[in-house]
Amino acid sequence: MAPQPLSLEEVVRQHKAAARQQRPQELDADLRRLKAEHLKARGDEALKQGNHRQAWERYSEAIDLMPGKDGLPALHSNRSLAYMKALRYEDALQDADAAARLSPGWYKAHWRRAVALLAIKRTPEAVLAFREAWRLADGDAKKESKTRLWAAVQRLTREQLGRGILALVAELEGQGNVEAPKVEAASEHELSEGLFRVMKDAHKGERRPGSYYHSYMSWLQHGLPPAEAYVQRAAAHCRSRCYLQARADAQAAVDVLLDGAKMHKQQQQQQQKAAKAAHTGPLPSDAAATQPGRDDCKGAAQQQLQAPLSEEVLKLQLARGYCSLGKACLAEIDHPDRDCRNAAKALIRASQLDPSNEEMLDQLSHACEDLSSQQLDEIQREIFHEGGAAGGGGVLNGGLLLPAALGAAGRIVPGQRLFQAVLRLAFPSARASDCSSRARELLRCGVAAAVGVDPLAVSIERVLAPTAARPHLVVLMHVTVGSDVLKASQLVKAVSCSGGAEDDAADCGSEASGDSGSVASMEEQDEGPETPQPGGMEAATSSPHQLPEAALSARQQQAAEKRRQLAALHQQQAAELSELLGGQQLTALLGMPELRLCSGEVADITPACAGASEAERAQQEAINRGGAEVAPQQDRRMAVPARPKLELELPYKLYKLVRADGSLVERVDKHPFCMSRVYYNPTEKPEEVWTELMDGSCRWRQTGGEVKVLALKVPQELPSRQLAVDIQPYSVKVWNRSSGEIYLEGGLERGVVPEDCFWTHCNGEGEDGCALYLRKMNLELLKQHWQHSEMWWPRLFKCHGEIAWDDYEKDYSDLPAEVLARHRITEAIKDDERREQDHERTKRELLQEADDVRKRARQERLNELRTGRRVDWVQLDRGLPAGPEA
């Protein structure tokens, strides 16, 4: 029998079943991927042709078909580009966010995100996205990312720039590289306002963009150094009137810089040792002996080629740290935290490190106005005792001081003492002219090397020339050794080592004189009559003086040997002292020192508490004596963070000036706002500026006859039919019909005309959201039509704070017709009067000029009649004698 024909449905069913058996599930995924790639290619082609809608539609289909996540980042990135070209910035941002989320290490995803953020004027976020793209890119893409990053940084307002810097500081705080404020607490708005004012002062006279923009760009690329973070936060706290916290931040910056300088010096010493070992290793011993100091000179030269730039940078940064500390201590006049003494002390240190900074010198002069000459002398002595500009005994090459005798915080650690060796050196064969600058430098370097301190810690206080009463050259020296009293005592002992030799020489002299006395007494006894020897033996037939002479010779030989030993010891000690002081080079200039005349002592130079009360000074003295114990990190003034004693007046305390999209408006330099220009012509108006309340309830702006209000708390997805708006002559209310939730309500500052008011809600942001247009009554203006400022509202609702008059420009272009007509007539009359005044002034100037010409010609004629010579009026006016006739 022939088989029965199959129905169409059965054929389709069997075909599908066979297809499922022949093609497993993974083939479906491959086909989907191929189709997605085909759609992506079609989208790319549509994008090149400028068909943006077709492009994002193809990309959307490809995204739906793509089986895995491998190709999704590229598709989202391309669709973001298509949305950007179609000016759909929010959709472009969503796709860029998706691409960055799927592939965090792909630079182009962050690039797309940054471009979209920049388009919707979220500039700070765009800067961070460009930085991430720059960090991940390489080659030409990295250069392009850097260029776009710098362009985005320049678009920041200074308030946004200040917030960005504070965000970098907060990032370091979160990482533990910078300590959080512990003394006084300032709000985020206060710190932002304080840093804004710092930047405004710093950018005066600079070409745009200012120096802070370049610094912020560098910090974004290379990171914000902790010391610079402390300096910037100290500046922000100082302008926010948190002076105690500003001092703590500035001191922390100084501490970090001093630690960095110490590490810099250690690295230099290690490099110098390595270079010296590399050069001196292959040299034979005789060559090394015949060329003393050669490798040292090479190492010093190499160090000077490598280190000066870094050292100068450290010095300037340390000067900035001390300057910040001085400003924080100086505070403002009549402030309870004002401390001119410590301010002067910090600013003197800053001026030592950067004497060319005029700002530091001006601040120092202000600090010294309230100080007496005695207080200034005390400050100078304390700076000298504490070790110069850095408060320590050690230094870097070039004069950058390090905290050798101080604690890690750069201050005197409670319970620690500072010592100094006071030396008196005598050179019998030297004259005053022999103590040249070369000899003094050798002497300082030799003592410093022997003690292990820097040459700048050794000072020559005085040089006494030889006189008839004192025929030797005397050099008085002070060597600051910090808290190591053993080092100071060893130096004093090395200089004063001649005392024992002098005692031994005196004993040897007395013994020699005793021997000669005994010999003399024996000789006197031998001169008497002979005495018979015991035992009936007769005296020896030899000379009776032979035995005493033998005894005398033995004792004299012993004394002479002892004197020779003492002389050798004396000579050895003198040679050791000469080697300690400067070696053969110093001996060639000043000769050998005289041990009998050299002496030294150890002095305690620990300073007392500067600027403290009597009780605090007594407590510190007890700490110096070791009679009291205090924790090293304890600070008398630092306690639990508190609000500053005087709060900063914030211009944005109740409101802020923004654009219609909510982005901040850059404030001008002359005044915190100072945008009070008046416009009567609508074509001259600049960008519209809105006033947004800090509670985020509304954003509003006004013209001469209208008030625009944006209710920001109305949800975008809320249907218009559920939104209720009630506009009364002196009140406004916006609420939800279903839930009864009130979004905006309040009594208006002045009256409006409800019949001419309307509202709209387009389910969007800005003016596309819930917007109210209120027509002013302007009753005050109708009473006094010439007083146009009477119609300007200082606030929207009566419960709000008033807006300063100079906050933003005045738009009078839509005044009432009758008022505007009168204004134009008045302005026309004033224009006629001004033109007439200008004409009269020009006429008077022409008449005056003609009269001056007549007077000059008359003077020339009179002079010609008197002298017979023609002289120009200029020479006559200057009083010059007339020249000879031609």
Side-chain angles (χ1 to χ4, degrees):
M1 295 180 57
Q4 293 291 333
L6 299 177
S7 63
L8 180 62
E9 292 79 5
E10 185 66 22
V11 171
V12 172
R13 185 183 63 78
Q14 293 180 3
H15 177 73
K16 288 184 178 180
R20 283 195 297 269
Q21 293 177 0
Q22 294 177 2
R23 294 181 299 174
Q25 187 66 27
E26 47 267 19
L27 292 181
D28 294 340
D30 293 338
L31 289 175
R32 291 174 62 189
R33 182 176 291 105
L34 289 175
K35 189 173 182 179
E37 292 176 355
H38 174 69
L39 291 172
K40 178 180 179 298
R42 291 181 60 187
D44 295 342
E45 186 65 25
L47 190 61
K48 291 179 182 179
Q49 296 176 359
N51 194 341
H52 306 143
R53 177 181 292 278
Q54 184 180 356
W56 79 61
E57 287 177 353
R58 300 291 84 78
Y59 290 140
S60 300
E61 293 176 2
I63 290 173
D64 294 338
L65 287 173
M66 186 62 68
K69 297 182 179 180
D70 295 338
L72 288 179
L75 289 172
H76 282 291
S77 176
N78 290 358
R79 191 169 69 172
S80 175
L81 178 60
Y83 282 137
M84 279 294 303
K85 290 183 177 295
L87 306 183
R88 296 180 58 173
Y89 302 132
E90 293 292 342
D91 294 333
L93 178 59
Q94 292 179 4
D95 272 319
D97 288 337
R101 184 171 56 255
L102 292 171
S103 181
W106 188 34
Y107 86 93
K108 187 169 286 188
H110 298 280
W111 173 282
R112 299 287 186 218
R113 184 171 179 272
V115 172
L117 287 169
L118 203 61
I120 60 178
K121 297 181 180 180
R122 291 165 60 178
T123 311
E125 299 176 60
V127 167
L128 298 180
F130 273 126
R131 181 182 68 165
E132 190 66 18
W134 169 83
R135 188 180 64 84
L136 296 173
D138 54 1
D140 295 338
K142 195 175 189 70
K143 295 180 181 178
E144 183 65 21
S145 300
K146 181 179 179 181
T147 302
R148 295 297 299 271
L149 174 61
W150 172 235
V153 168
Q154 294 181 75
R155 293 182 60 176
L156 292 171
T157 65
R158 280 172 296 185
E159 291 179 87
Q160 294 171 340
L161 183 63
R163 291 193 179 95
I165 295 174
L166 293 176
L168 294 179
V169 176
E171 184 178 349
L172 290 178
E173 292 178 7
Q175 296 172 357
N177 296 327
V178 171
E179 291 187 359
K182 297 181 179 179
V183 184
E184 288 179 327
S187 65
E188 181 181 354
H189 294 292
E190 289 173 331
L191 290 177
S192 177
E193 176 65 21
L195 198 54
F196 166 79
R197 297 183 183 184
V198 171
M199 289 186 292
K200 186 181 72 171
D201 295 340
H203 290 170
K204 284 183 179 179
E206 293 185 359
R207 296 181 59 183
R208 296 182 62 91
S211 57
Y212 265 90
Y213 285 88
H214 294 279
S215 300
Y216 184 60
M217 179 68 179
S218 176
W219 296 336
L220 287 174
Q221 293 178 276
H222 310 293
L224 179 61
E228 187 65 32
Y230 279 121
V231 170
Q232 296 301 326
R233 199 174 70 180
H237 278 118
C238 192
R239 296 304 292 266
S240 302
R241 295 186 174 183
C242 294
Y243 295 110
L244 296 183
Q245 183 59 51
R247 295 177 198 178
D249 290 338
Q251 186 62 60
V254 171
D255 300 341
V256 173
L257 291 171
L258 290 175
D259 293 340
K262 186 175 181 180
M263 294 177 60
H264 178 81
K265 181 182 178 182
Q266 292 176 354
Q267 292 176 358
Q268 284 186 336
Q269 291 176 349
Q270 293 176 359
Q271 293 176 0
Q272 186 176 4
K273 290 180 180 179
K276 184 176 180 181
H279 285 288
T280 57
L283 290 176
S285 58
D286 55 348
T290 56
Q291 298 178 0
R294 178 180 177 183
D295 300 323
D296 296 338
C297 295
K298 289 184 178 180
Q302 185 178 4
Q303 184 179 1
Q304 290 178 359
L305 291 175
Q306 296 177 353
L309 181 60
S310 299
E311 185 175 330
E312 288 299 323
V313 170
L314 286 173
K315 290 176 66 175
L316 293 178
Q317 290 180 348
L318 190 58
R320 289 185 62 224
Y322 277 118
C323 185
S324 300
L325 181 59
K327 289 180 181 180
C329 293
L330 192 58
E332 58 187 64
I333 300 176
D334 298 333
H335 194 278
D337 294 333
R338 184 178 175 88
D339 187 357
C340 293
R341 196 181 194 284
N342 286 327
K345 191 173 181 180
L347 291 170
I348 288 174
R349 296 183 187 277
S351 62
Q352 290 176 351
L353 293 166
D354 188 10
S356 61
N357 194 322
E358 297 181 358
E359 182 184 3
M360 296 182 191
L361 299 178
D362 293 339
Q363 296 288 337
L364 180 59
S365 63
H366 291 317
C368 295
E369 289 176 356
D370 298 338
L371 299 176
S372 63
S373 58
Q374 182 180 1
Q375 290 175 323
L376 291 176
D377 293 339
E378 291 179 359
I379 292 172
Q380 293 284 357
R381 285 195 297 270
E382 289 175 5
I383 293 176
F384 174 77
H385 289 162
E386 294 174 5
V395 293
L396 274 176
N397 294 334
L400 182 57
L401 296 162
L402 294 176
L406 304 182
R411 299 181 290 265
I412 298 292
V413 176
Q416 192 176 55
R417 304 167 69 181
L418 302 181
F419 297 96
Q420 189 179 72
V422 181
L423 308 180
R424 178 186 177 94
L425 306 176
F427 299 90
S429 61
R431 297 173 298 176
S433 60
D434 296 334
C435 192
S436 60
S437 59
R438 172 64 176 168
R440 292 195 296 270
E441 186 66 20
L442 288 173
L443 187 58
R444 291 175 60 250
C445 294
V447 174
V451 183
V453 298
D454 194 272
L456 292 182
V458 181
S459 61
I460 297 178
E461 299 297 322
R462 194 175 180 186
V463 177
L464 303 178
T467 61
R470 177 181 38 77
H472 50 267
L473 182 72
V474 176
V475 180
L476 302 179
M477 301 182 64
H478 289 173
V479 183
T480 304
V481 296
S483 60
D484 193 351
V485 67
L486 181 59
K487 185 182 297 183
S489 62
Q490 289 176 350
L491 177 61
V492 170
K493 184 178 180 181
V495 174
S496 306
C497 62
S498 59
E502 292 175 359
D503 296 340
D504 294 339
D507 295 341
C508 181
S510 63
E511 184 179 350
S513 61
D515 292 340
S516 61
S518 62
V519 171
S521 62
M522 289 175 65
E523 291 178 351
E524 292 175 357
Q525 293 175 1
D526 289 341
E527 291 177 354
E530 288 185 17
T531 56
Q533 296 298 328
M537 297 180 61
E538 294 180 356
T541 57
S542 62
S543 171
H545 302 290
Q546 290 180 355
L547 185 60
E549 288 179 358
L552 176 62
S553 177
R555 293 187 178 184
Q556 287 179 346
Q557 290 178 0
Q558 293 177 0
E561 182 64 25
K562 193 170 185 179
R563 283 194 296 270
R564 283 193 299 270
Q565 294 177 357
L566 292 176
L569 178 61
H570 186 277
Q571 185 177 3
Q572 180 182 358
Q573 292 176 347
E576 293 177 354
L577 179 58
S578 177
E579 186 66 25
L580 181 145
L581 297 178
Q584 297 179 358
Q585 296 180 356
L586 182 66
T587 304
L589 295 175
L590 298 180
M592 295 291 292
E594 181 59 43
L595 290 176
R596 296 182 298 103
L597 304 175
C598 296
S599 62
E601 62 179 1
V602 179
D604 189 348
I605 60 171
T606 305
C609 290
S613 62
E614 293 297 331
E616 290 173 328
R617 288 179 180 272
Q619 180 183 4
Q620 184 64 34
E621 291 177 0
I623 292 173
N624 294 338
R625 293 192 303 268
E629 295 182 359
V630 179
Q633 302 300 330
Q634 182 178 353
D635 195 326
R636 296 185 299 271
R637 296 174 300 183
M638 295 187 180
V640 179
R643 288 291 303 164
K645 298 178 178 62
L646 298 178
E647 292 188 1
L648 179 68
E649 296 181 2
L650 294 175
Y652 284 161
K653 192 171 185 178
L654 301 175
Y655 56 89
K656 58 183 178 180
L657 302 183
V658 298
R659 300 182 180 88
D661 57 359
S663 59
L664 288 176
V665 175
E666 176 68 284
R667 287 153 55 182
V668 295
D669 296 332
K670 187 171 59 175
H671 192 269
F673 297 97
C674 201
M675 302 171 65
S676 58
R677 185 177 175 182
V678 177
Y679 298 93
Y680 288 94
N681 189 347
T683 60
E684 299 178 355
K685 292 191 301 182
E687 180 184 11
E688 289 187 349
V689 177
W690 296 71
T691 302
E692 181 176 336
L693 299 183
M694 297 303 290
D695 60 1
S697 60
C698 66
R699 184 184 303 148
W700 71 285
R701 75 177 310 275
Q702 60 178 320
T703 60
E706 186 182 52
V707 177
K708 300 178 183 178
V709 183
L710 301 178
L712 302 179
K713 293 187 176 181
V714 176
Q716 299 181 19
E717 63 277 4
L718 183 68
S720 299
R721 62 179 178 275
Q722 294 186 11
L723 186 64
V725 178
D726 182 21
I727 302 177
Q728 298 295 330
Y730 291 96
S731 65
V732 168
K733 182 179 180 181
V734 181
W735 74 97
N736 191 324
R737 295 180 185 272
S738 301
S739 62
E741 181 182 1
I742 298 176
Y743 303 121
L744 183 66
E745 182 181 17
L748 296 173
E749 173 67 12
R750 296 176 186 174
V752 297
V753 182
E755 294 79 6
D756 295 339
C757 301
F758 64 95
W759 64 274
T760 179
H761 180 52
C762 300
N763 304 102
E765 294 182 352
E767 295 190 60
D768 293 333
C770 183
L772 287 73
Y773 299 87
L774 310 178
R775 172 61 60 180
K776 293 181 180 179
M777 287 185 182
N778 280 336
L779 299 178
E780 301 83 7
L781 185 62
L782 295 177
K783 292 179 182 179
Q784 299 177 344
H785 64 86
W786 62 91
Q787 293 287 346
H788 298 168
S789 60
E790 292 296 326
M791 57 85 183
W792 202 254
W793 290 16
R795 53 192 171 187
L796 178 61
F797 293 154
K798 292 183 178 180
C799 60
H800 295 167
E802 290 190 2
I803 303 174
W805 175 257
D806 289 334
D807 272 6
Y808 53 89
E809 78 282 353
K810 310 298 185 298
D811 182 5
Y812 295 163
S813 60
D814 60 344
L815 290 172
E818 59 275 13
V819 175
L820 191 57
R822 291 186 180 183
H823 170 72
R824 290 173 178 171
I825 294 174
T826 304
E827 289 298 318
I829 295 173
K830 290 182 179 180
D831 290 341
D832 292 339
E833 292 178 354
R834 284 193 291 267
R835 284 193 296 269
E836 185 66 25
Q837 291 174 0
D838 293 340
H839 178 70
E840 292 293 334
R841 183 169 56 254
T842 304
K843 184 177 180 180
R844 286 195 301 269
E845 291 175 354
L846 293 175
L847 292 175
Q848 183 66 36
E849 184 178 356
D851 187 58
D852 292 340
V853 171
R854 182 185 60 81
K855 289 180 180 180
R856 289 195 293 269
R858 182 173 180 273
Q859 292 294 331
E860 292 175 357
R861 289 197 302 270
L862 288 176
N863 182 72
E864 185 177 2
L865 291 174
R866 292 169 184 169
T867 62
R869 290 175 297 181
R870 183 77 176 179
V871 181
D872 185 72
W873 178 85
V874 176
Q875 293 182 351
L876 292 176
D877 186 63
R878 293 178 179 176
L880 299 176
E885 295 182 0

